[in-house]
Amino acid sequence: MINILVLGAGTMGRTHIRAYQRMSNVKVVGIVDVNKPTVEGVAKELYFNRFEDALESLGEIHVVDICLPTYLHKEFAIKAATSKAHIICEKPLASTLEDAGEIISICEENKVKLFVGHVVRFFSEYSQAKKLVDQKLFGDIKYVRTFRNSSFPIAWNDWYSNYQYSGGLLLDLLIHDIDFLCWCFGEVESVNANNIRKMEYKDVQHISVELNFKNGVNAQVAGSWSENKFRTNFEIQGEAGYLVFDSTKEQPLNLQVKRGTSMKLIANQEEIKNIESPYFTQLNHYVDCIINNHTPIMTPQEAYQSMKIAFAAIKSFEIGDTVYLEEKYH
């Protein structure tokens, strides 16, 4: 049995707890949250205001799941790692590259596993797109477009409004698509970004980012905090066909590949339907990696690299010019 301590019982913390409650090999042994909220299925005596109190009271903790605001990740990752607990940490890994590097190093030094919650890799449409890209059904891919939109996130202490804490739209929301594209197409060579609304606008932000990959793929990543309804889409264009996803459609995923002079639909949503929550799939995968010492789909180094690209994009719209990426994290 894997004993898990969850830090933070907001929206994401509750989502993780519900997933763990469905697993036969996992037990949520405690929740740390300053507000001590009520979570269904968790006894009141398992709530703690302080991480140290939980450690003292609970005995053996195998995993600490960090679902706290981004700027608190480093502090509690260090505490968890030095207590020899494996770590599952919500994305982004940290609020600065320096902090992300320190988290990775402290976990390596203490020989504990670190998993980062980039859940988009576990959405069926995105994982299927990755498989289709790897199968080279499109021929040479030259252009990709992604879009992600939601309302401005409301959370404890309004911490999303402080961009030093949250990283704003790029680090918090668009990093999903940055990670997905890097998963599919590898290393980014250069970044060019346009921030349509300046950072001082608290509740609305629109950003467009151009990513140029070393393999020749050009990607346009756009998104905003501007609408009440969450929606996301992508389009992958190749010489031999294209793949389109639109979360607002009844059949969201559409793949067409050339056969002679015509285009033929060869995949749709019904063929890849995944009845499981991607959060359950993700966390179940990480638990399996802990138990069986498997390599995770998402590595800490990849999480670091996605952060690096997001910060390069922030720098790009600040200076109004292209930013070139240096070599990967080692």
Side-chain angles (χ1 to χ4, degrees):
M1 184 68 67
I2 299 295
N3 294 336
I4 295 184
L5 174 65
V6 178
L7 309 186
T11 301
M12 196 52 59
R14 290 169 184 267
T15 299
H16 283 206
I17 291 166
R18 286 194 295 269
Y20 292 133
Q21 288 172 334
R22 294 180 53 206
M23 300 179 196
S24 60
N25 55 355
V26 166
K27 182 178 181 180
V28 176
V29 295
I31 298 173
V32 177
D33 192 293
V34 293
N35 295 317
K36 283 194 174 181
T38 300
V39 179
E40 186 177 352
V42 180
K44 290 183 179 180
E45 59 268 22
L46 299 182
Y47 293 94
F48 301 89
N49 285 123
R50 297 171 67 249
F51 178 77
E52 291 76 10
D53 294 340
L55 285 185
E56 185 177 341
S57 300
L58 295 175
E60 189 172 22
I61 296 171
H62 303 117
V63 178
V64 172
D65 185 340
I66 302 174
C67 295
L68 298 168
T70 303
Y71 68 97
L72 297 175
H73 288 183
K74 175 187 169 184
E75 174 187 350
F76 287 92
I78 290 173
K79 290 180 178 181
T82 53
S83 71
K84 306 302 181 182
H86 301 301
I87 296 169
I88 297 172
C89 181
E90 259 305 306
K91 67 83 209 157
L93 180 54
S95 56
T96 71
L97 275 175
E98 181 181 9
D99 285 356
E102 287 188 41
I103 291 172
I104 293 172
S105 295
I106 199 74
C107 289
E108 291 174 347
E109 290 169 10
N110 285 276
K111 296 181 171 54
V112 299
K113 298 181 185 296
L114 171 62
F115 308 94
V116 186
H118 279 271
V119 73
V120 163
R121 294 195 184 199
F122 297 87
F123 275 78
S124 57
E125 298 87 355
Y126 287 83
S127 61
Q128 180 71 1
K130 162 68 171 170
K131 291 177 184 177
L132 295 171
V133 167
D134 289 346
Q135 291 170 11
K136 302 187 184 302
L137 294 180
F138 314 99
D140 288 338
I141 296 170
K142 296 299 183 184
Y143 175 76
V144 182
R145 175 190 58 80
T146 71
F147 177 78
R148 188 170 296 268
N149 183 90
S150 74
S151 59
F152 185 84
I154 304 301
W156 171 79
N157 242 8
D158 197 24
W159 66 272
Y160 284 100
S161 296
N162 185 328
Y163 292 120
Q164 288 186 327
Y165 286 171
S166 69
L169 179 67
L170 257 167
L171 193 63
D172 184 75
L173 189 65
L174 295 192
I175 198 169
H176 281 301
D177 297 301
I178 291 171
D179 172 67
F180 168 65
L181 293 172
C182 290
W183 188 36
C184 290
F185 305 114
E187 295 182 46
V188 171
E189 184 172 53
S190 64
V191 176
N192 201 308
N194 177 29
N195 188 11
I196 302 170
R197 289 287 183 93
K198 296 184 182 295
M199 298 290 273
E200 58 261 26
Y201 286 84
K202 186 187 85 165
D203 294 338
V204 179
Q205 194 178 5
H206 306 266
I207 291 176
S208 176
V209 181
E210 178 182 357
L211 303 179
N212 294 298
F213 287 82
K214 289 185 178 180
N215 64 0
V217 172
N218 174 268
Q220 301 291 327
V221 178
S224 68
W225 278 331
S226 63
E227 298 180 12
N228 290 329
K229 185 176 181 180
F230 175 81
R231 61 189 174 98
T232 182
N233 57 61
F234 62 75
E235 177 182 346
I236 301 173
Q237 290 282 357
E239 293 178 340
Y242 62 85
L243 177 66
V244 177
F245 166 71
D246 186 340
S247 65
T248 66
K249 302 295 185 182
E250 186 175 350
Q251 296 289 329
L253 196 67
N254 184 315
L255 168 65
Q256 296 201 29
V257 174
K258 285 182 181 178
R259 294 291 182 266
T261 58
S262 64
M263 301 290 286
K264 182 182 179 183
L265 175 68
I266 65 171
N268 61 45
Q269 178 66 12
E270 288 303 313
E271 295 169 334
I272 64 157
K273 202 168 190 178
N274 185 351
I275 60 172
E276 288 292 0
S277 157
Y279 293 97
F280 175 87
T281 303
Q282 172 189 243
L283 296 171
N284 194 47
H285 168 68
Y286 288 159
V287 167
D288 176 68
C289 289
I290 291 168
I291 294 173
N292 297 303
N293 199 31
H294 290 161
T295 300
I297 289 173
M298 176 77 191
T299 68
Q301 289 73 22
E302 288 172 317
Y304 179 96
Q305 193 65 15
S306 293
M307 284 184 60
K308 189 172 183 179
I309 295 166
F311 280 112
I314 292 172
K315 181 179 179 181
S316 175
F317 65 63
E318 286 177 345
I319 67 175
D321 201 358
T322 300
V323 172
Y324 290 87
L325 274 293
E326 300 171 1
E327 61 184 68
K328 294 170 68 175
Y329 173 86
H330 294 290

